[in-house]
Amino acid sequence: MFQGFSDSNSSMFQVSEFILMGFPGIHSWQHWLSLPLVLIYILALSANILILIIIKQEATLHQPMYHFLGILAVVDMGMATNIMPKILAILWFNAKAISLPECFLHMYVIHFFMFMESGLFVCMAIDRYVAICRPLHYPSIITDSFVVKATVFMALRNSLSTIPVPVLAAQRHYCSKNQIEHCLCSTLGVTSLSCDDRRINSVYQLSLAWTLMGSDLGLIIVSYALILHSVLSLNSAEAASKALSTCTSHLILILFFYTILVVLSITHSASKTVPLIPVLLNVLENIIPPALNPMVYALKNKELRQGSYKILNLDFKGH
C-alpha cells in the first residue's frame, strides 16, 4: 500500500531511505540495552503464549471475559513483535537503514496496535460493568457473538482511522536529512525531517489521539464509576470485596497503560533537552504492557493461576 505512496511522490522524495540512529545520546553503548530488551520481549512472548494455552485447554475459561484476555494476548505479542526485530537489528548488526514504504508501514502498525490495546480495555471494562451492575442480564448481553462483534468493530475502527497517519507522512517533502534520532519510525521523528509544512500531520495526530484514546478512556472511567457506585451500594462487605477483586487486575493495567502515554506526551515537550527519555518511553510503551499484562492477570486471577500450575505441572495445593 505504502509503495504506491512512495512511487507517486518519487519526484518529491530527495532521500531514498531513512536511518534509524537508535537511542539518542548513548549511541556508543546502546547495544548493551539489547539484553534487558530481549529478556522483556521473551517474557512477553512466553507469558502471553502461556495465557493462550491455559484459556484454550481449560474448559471453565471458555467465557467472554477470558476470550477478551486471549485477544489482548495476541495484540500484545503483535505490538512487541512489530518493533523488536528492527530494534535488535540496529543494536546488534548496526542495520539502521529502512526504506520509505517500510517505515510508513511500520508507523501504521505501531498506531494500530496501540489503539487496539486501548479499544480492548474498553471492551473489558464493559464486560465487567455488565457482570457487576447487570448480573442477571450478563449471559444474554455478553455472549461469544458480542466478543466477535466488539473485536471486529475495534479492528475496523483502528485500521481505518490510522491510515491517514502514514499517508500524510508520505506526502511530506524529505529533501535532505534522513537520520531519525529514534529506533522506531515514530510520526514525530519522521515528519520532523520534512522540509515543508507538517502542521496537518500534527493536527491529525492530535485529533486522532483525543478522539480514540480520549473516548476510550472516558468510557472506561464511566464504566468503573458505575461499577464503584454499584459495589458501594452492596450491603455485604464480602460481596463488595469479591466484586472489586475481579476488576483490580484490569484497573492496574489500564492505569499503567494510560500513565505511560500521558508521561510520553509530556516528555515530548522536553525532548530537545533530554531526547533519550521520550524515545526510551516510546519503546517501553510497546514492550512493557505485553510483558506486564499476562503476569498481572495470572497473579490476580485464581482460575488463571490454577491453569498455569496445571500446565507447568505444579501442585496447586496450598496456593
Side-chain angles (χ1 to χ4, degrees), residues 136-154:
L136 297 179
H137 298 95
Y138 183 83
S140 61
I141 297 176
I142 309 297
T143 61
D144 289 345
S145 175
F146 173 84
V147 174
V148 172
K149 290 176 182 177
T151 304
V152 169
F153 170 77
M154 286 299 173

Side-chain angles (χ1 to χ4, degrees), residues 13-315:
F13 287 119
Q14 302 300 314
V15 297
S16 59
E17 62 185 12
F18 291 127
I19 306 297
L20 293 169
M21 300 301 293
F23 296 94
I26 59 170
H27 294 153
S28 60
W29 58 272
Q30 63 180 357
H31 57 278
W32 290 106
L33 285 177
S34 65
L35 180 58
L37 290 178
V38 164
L39 292 176
I40 295 172
Y41 179 53
I42 292 173
L43 175 62
L45 288 184
S46 56
N48 281 293
I49 289 171
L50 181 61
I51 288 288
L52 290 172
I53 292 173
I54 293 169
I55 293 173
K56 183 178 185 300
Q57 292 194 358
E58 293 296 313
T60 56
L61 301 184
H62 294 173
Q63 306 172 33
M65 181 177 77
Y66 295 102
H67 292 332
F68 279 128
L69 184 55
I71 297 166
L72 181 66
V74 173
V75 169
D76 281 340
M77 288 191 289
M79 181 186 293
T81 302
N82 176 50
I83 68 164
M84 282 307 299
K86 186 58 183 178
I87 292 176
L88 295 179
I90 294 170
L91 300 181
W92 287 349
F93 309 111
N94 207 34
K96 298 178 179 180
I98 184 170
S99 68
L100 300 178
E102 186 183 354
C103 189
F104 296 137
L105 178 61
H106 187 56
M107 183 189 300
Y108 173 82
V109 178
I110 288 173
H111 281 78
F112 172 77
F113 278 123
M114 192 68 65
F115 291 136
M116 197 67 193
E117 183 107 348
S118 177
L120 283 172
F121 281 144
V122 173
C123 296
M124 296 166 82
I126 293 172
D127 170 82
R128 290 300 83 202
Y129 162 74
V130 179
I132 293 171
C133 300
R134 300 287 186 272
L136 297 179
H137 298 95
Y138 183 83
S140 61
I141 297 176
I142 309 297
T143 61
D144 289 345
S145 175
F146 173 84
V147 174
V148 172
K149 290 176 182 177
T151 304
V152 169
F153 170 77
M154 286 299 173
L156 287 173
R157 182 197 75 164
N158 299 327
S159 59
L160 295 176
S161 61
T162 304
I163 289 176
V165 175
V167 170
L168 290 172
Q171 304 305 311
R172 302 280 64 79
H173 182 201
Y174 302 96
C175 59
S176 56
K177 296 184 295 181
N178 71 336
Q179 291 188 352
I180 304 173
E181 286 294 330
H182 210 306
C183 45
L184 307 175
C185 281
S186 68
T187 308
L188 183 64
V190 172
T191 57
S192 64
L193 301 178
S194 68
C195 301
D196 53 356
D197 191 354
R198 60 178 185 271
R199 277 180 296 180
I200 187 172
N201 300 73
S202 301
V203 169
Y204 187 79
Q205 183 87 0
L206 187 63
S207 62
L208 185 65
W210 275 106
T211 302
L212 295 190
M213 293 286 195
S215 61
D216 286 351
L217 185 57
L219 285 171
I220 290 170
I221 291 172
V222 169
S223 296
Y224 275 98
L226 293 172
I227 288 172
L228 185 61
H229 179 267
S230 178
V231 167
L232 292 176
S233 65
L234 294 175
N235 295 324
S236 170
E238 183 179 349
S241 176
K242 185 177 179 180
L244 284 176
S245 68
T246 65
C247 303
T248 306
S249 53
H250 190 203
L251 279 171
I252 291 172
L253 299 179
I254 288 170
L255 287 172
F256 183 82
F257 178 77
Y258 286 105
T259 298
I260 287 190
L261 283 177
V262 171
V263 173
L264 182 59
S265 64
I266 293 172
T267 54
H268 266 305
S269 61
S271 60
K272 291 185 179 179
T273 54
V274 192
L276 174 63
I277 294 177
V279 172
L280 192 58
L281 281 174
N282 210 332
V283 173
L284 293 179
E285 173 69 12
N286 284 270
I287 62 170
I288 292 293
L292 183 69
N293 291 352
M295 289 192 295
V296 170
Y297 271 106
L299 288 172
K300 300 294 294 183
N301 187 286
K302 183 179 178 181
E303 288 75 18
L304 284 176
R305 283 203 310 273
Q306 288 176 323
S308 63
Y309 291 138
K310 189 182 296 184
I311 296 294
L312 298 173
N313 293 317
L314 298 176
D315 184 8

